[in-house]
Amino acid sequence: MAANNLLPKDDNDRPLRNTRIEITKQTVRFDSDVYQFRNVTGFGLAPVINTNLFPIQFILVVFVIGLFCANIPEWRFWGIIFVLVAIGGVYANTSQPKKYGLKLYLNSGSPCPVFITSDMPGLEKVVSVLYKFMESNAEGTYVIHAEDRSIRIEGSVGGSVTAGNIGGSSSSQVRGNVSRND
């Protein structure tokens, strides 16, 4: 199952945004990278440090200039505008949604890709489905669409149906879809 604990950020992480990941029992493919599935050691949730829309230094400079200008009668209007712009910058920085990532662990030593999204419930579902897929022997294909505001998984896992003669005549008939679609 998906764990609720988050993994520490690693300097070797490679953040990827708006990416399509294709996973089979043989390969994991995204962007221009293709890895053998057996080289994937795991999937996990990774926190992503949010980058501010406006640098804190810029906001402080605008705020100080606004305070300075607000004390000069001829510049009071512009001082108030500068202070309001600084307050708006702080609000813009703090109102961003918290971002998380689907981290792909590789035993090749290359930087671990982190697929960034702000959809935590969707991310937990994806990790859960991938865990079940790694644990099973079933063949299948999953496609993960990792976007800034959402992450979703599509695909199917199927197995083989075997029929044969066992001590006489035996037949097996399967109707309908024998693959599991999530």
Side-chain angles (χ1 to χ4, degrees):
M1 283 299 218
N4 287 335
N5 56 348
L6 296 176
L7 305 165
K9 180 167 173 34
D10 187 7
D11 290 336
N12 289 333
D13 289 350
R14 188 177 77 178
L16 298 170
R17 296 179 190 278
N18 300 325
T19 305
R20 181 175 181 252
I21 311 152
E22 192 172 318
I23 298 172
T24 67
K25 278 294 186 181
Q26 278 70 41
T27 61
V28 175
R29 182 174 43 177
F30 54 90
D31 286 344
S32 61
D33 299 329
V34 178
Y35 294 95
Q36 290 181 340
F37 189 72
R38 67 175 178 248
N39 289 336
V40 175
T41 58
F43 299 93
L45 303 178
V48 175
I49 298 174
N50 287 347
T51 56
N52 292 326
L53 292 175
F54 303 103
I56 300 298
Q57 295 86 351
F58 173 75
I59 293 172
L60 286 174
V61 167
V62 170
F63 186 74
V64 169
I65 290 172
L67 288 178
F68 180 73
C69 290
N71 287 324
I72 301 172
E74 299 87 38
W75 291 87
R76 185 160 299 174
F77 173 76
W78 290 108
I80 293 171
I81 296 295
F82 280 132
V83 168
L84 291 176
V85 166
I87 291 171
V90 169
Y91 177 74
N93 284 349
T94 58
S95 65
Q96 289 183 353
K98 190 161 177 77
K99 300 221 184 252
Y100 298 96
L102 172 65
K103 189 170 185 176
L104 180 65
Y105 293 95
L106 307 168
N107 64 4
S108 64
S110 59
C112 296
V114 177
F115 305 98
I116 298 173
T117 185
S118 60
D119 181 13
M120 186 61 162
L123 186 59
E124 287 175 342
K125 179 184 178 201
V126 167
V127 170
S128 177
V129 169
L130 291 177
Y131 169 76
K132 290 175 187 173
F133 182 60
M134 285 182 85
E135 288 291 316
S136 73
N137 290 328
E139 292 293 324
T141 301
Y142 283 105
V143 177
I144 301 169
H145 301 277
E147 299 168 359
D148 280 342
R149 297 197 183 269
S150 69
I151 187 167
R152 58 186 164 72
I153 188 166
E154 302 169 348
S156 64
V157 174
S160 59
V161 177
T162 306
N165 293 329
I166 304 173
S169 178
S170 172
S171 67
S172 175
Q173 186 176 18
V174 178
R175 288 191 177 116
N177 189 357
V178 295
S179 65
R180 187 179 119 219
N181 293 321
D182 288 334

